[in-house]
Amino acid sequence: METRITKLEEFAAEARDRMTRIETRLDHMATKEDVSKLESTLLRWFIVTAVSLTALAFTAAKLIH
């Protein structure tokens, strides 16, 4: 019985160390909120760029013609 308890205690210590390493890695990962913010920012930039290029193209066409 003593050996089983000793092995369980060793396993618990090892599991705690593994959990600490996993939590440390997860601190540097992006959350769903971060990804959502990035997506909306990129979409906004894409729309603004498309509208600006369209306006520039029409202006250039009007001046050339």
Side-chain angles (χ1 to χ4, degrees):
M1 188 71 156
E2 286 280 329
T3 57
R4 291 181 68 184
I5 292 174
T6 305
K7 286 183 180 182
L8 284 173
E9 289 174 345
E10 290 173 2
F11 176 76
E14 185 180 320
R16 186 178 22 224
D17 292 340
R18 285 183 181 175
M19 184 64 78
T20 302
R21 282 184 274 161
I22 290 170
E23 287 175 346
T24 303
R25 286 184 188 167
L26 289 177
D27 287 342
H28 302 292
M29 301 296 263
T31 61
K32 287 182 180 180
E33 183 181 348
D34 294 336
V35 173
S36 176
K37 285 181 183 178
L38 178 63
E39 181 183 12
S40 65
T41 301
L42 288 174
L43 183 62
R44 201 174 309 132
W45 272 100
F46 176 75
I47 291 171
V48 168
T49 302
V51 169
S52 299
L53 288 175
T54 303
L56 182 65
F58 276 110
T59 302
K62 187 175 183 178
L63 291 174
I64 291 173
H65 190 26

